[in-house]
Structures are given as C-alpha cells and as structure tokens.
Amino acid sequence: GRQFLRHLQSSEFGEQTNIVGAPPSIPFLSFTLLMFGSGFWFADVMGDSLVAEKAKLEPESSRGHLQSTCYACRFFGLMIAAPLSTVIYSTYGPQSVV
C-alpha cells in the first residue's frame, strides 16, 4: 500500500503527479486542455466534412443552402449555450458542469 502511494506521489522525473485531492500539475492541466481542444477541433472538422459531402447532393438551384443553414444553427446554438452555461456554472458551481 505505502509503496504504491509513494509511486503515485513521485514520477520518473521527481515531479508530483495528480493524486485525489491534490491540485493538478501545470503539465497535466496543459495536456488535458490540449486533448479537450483537439477533440472539439476534430468534431468540428468531421461535422464540416459531413455537411460538405451532403451539400454535393443538393440541386443546382439551392446549392449552398444546407451549409448556410447548418452554420446559422451552430451560431444560434453557441449564442444560447454560452450564456446558459455561464449562469449554470455561476449558480451551481463547477461540479454541475463537470
């Protein structure tokens, strides 16, 4: 038990790693935010590619209508989600968001 805890407390480089109840280290936090942002980026690119492929099937008279509708819906969703999530975070704290 104690050796396992000592192993958790010190990494190969002598830095303290994330233990339950301890604040995360800056490298751990930076890596986590990088992965979080990369996930959003990949999801955005995948969504754009799906819309672009589906837009190829549109008739010539309404070409581009699907893409503009998707971008308008995304913008509207962000305008609703940003203030709503801010209010929820401020009212209930980070536990309700995470």
Side-chain angles (χ1 to χ4, degrees):
R2 287 182 183 230
Q3 284 183 333
F4 179 70
L5 284 178
R6 260 188 248 132
H7 175 69
L8 282 178
Q9 290 174 346
S10 63
S11 67
E12 297 170 9
F13 303 106
E15 298 174 4
Q16 189 167 5
T17 57
N18 192 13
I19 302 171
V20 176
S25 66
I26 297 298
F28 176 76
L29 185 62
S30 300
F31 179 74
T32 304
L33 288 174
L34 175 69
M35 291 295 104
F36 181 73
S38 296
F40 271 113
W41 178 56
F42 283 135
D44 184 49
V45 169
M46 286 187 288
D48 286 345
S49 65
L50 288 172
V51 170
E53 288 298 317
K54 199 70 169 163
K56 290 179 182 177
L57 303 174
E58 282 185 303
E60 195 68 37
S61 61
S62 65
R63 184 107 5 174
H65 187 262
L66 178 66
Q67 286 179 309
S68 61
T69 302
C70 286
Y71 290 132
C73 289
R74 183 191 309 182
F75 177 76
F76 178 73
L78 286 173
M79 292 301 106
I80 297 299
L84 184 65
S85 63
T86 302
V87 169
I88 291 172
Y89 184 85
S90 297
T91 305
Y92 299 107
Q95 292 82 11
S96 63
V97 177
V98 178

